[in-house]
Structure formats: C-alpha cells, structure tokens
Amino acid sequence: MKIRECRAEAVVVARGVERLGMGVDDSNGRAAALYRRLCYGETGCRYLDRYHYVDDAGARHEVADPCRFLVRALGTG
C-alpha cells in the first residue's frame, strides 16, 4: 500500500474507526480490482450514486450511476 493511503487510514484509526468503506462505479472495473487488491471486500450493497452537473450551455443534467460499496477492516492487509 502507498504511504498516502497508509496515512489516511492512520488518521481514521486514530479517531476510533475500525472499518473504512467506499463506493465504486460499477463501470469502473479497474478501480474495483485495485481496491480489492488493497483488501476492500464486496459487501453486496449496490446503490445509485446520484448527482447533477451543468454543461457549458447552462443545461442541468441529472445522472444516476450504479455503484457497489466496498469495505476494509483497518489494521489488516
């Protein structure tokens, strides 16, 4: 694991957090594979990550991306 990732985990461990989770877009298989290599496991939790953006013409676009939630027990891996 890279130093930056270890530092981030050290900060949350110091705050008493035992597990760390994150959402990964289902279409981003490379990111999911990376996090699995870093000991983040599949939870079976799926959700829609909803957000919006405004394009250059000022039109608002609503987006809902299917995602999976991965969790890692800190102090492992």
Side-chain angles (χ1 to χ4, degrees), residues 30-52:
R30 290 183 64 187
L34 168 67
Y35 291 119
R36 283 194 297 273
R37 285 194 306 274
L38 295 174
C39 300
Y40 283 82
E42 295 283 349
T43 63
C45 176
R46 299 283 193 258
Y47 65 96
L48 289 176
D49 184 16
R50 295 179 182 273
Y51 60 95
H52 74 273

Side-chain angles (χ1 to χ4, degrees), residues 14-77:
R15 294 180 182 174
V17 175
E18 297 177 1
R19 291 178 302 202
L20 189 60
M22 70 177 65
V24 179
D25 191 302
D26 280 348
S27 67
N28 194 346
R30 290 183 64 187
L34 168 67
Y35 291 119
R36 283 194 297 273
R37 285 194 306 274
L38 295 174
C39 300
Y40 283 82
E42 295 283 349
T43 63
C45 176
R46 299 283 193 258
Y47 65 96
L48 289 176
D49 184 16
R50 295 179 182 273
Y51 60 95
H52 74 273
Y53 67 93
V54 178
D55 67 20
D56 292 338
R60 180 182 168 114
H61 299 269
E62 301 288 334
V63 182
D65 292 328
C67 293
R68 62 185 63 205
F69 193 70
L70 307 175
V71 173
R72 178 173 188 245
L74 297 177
T76 63

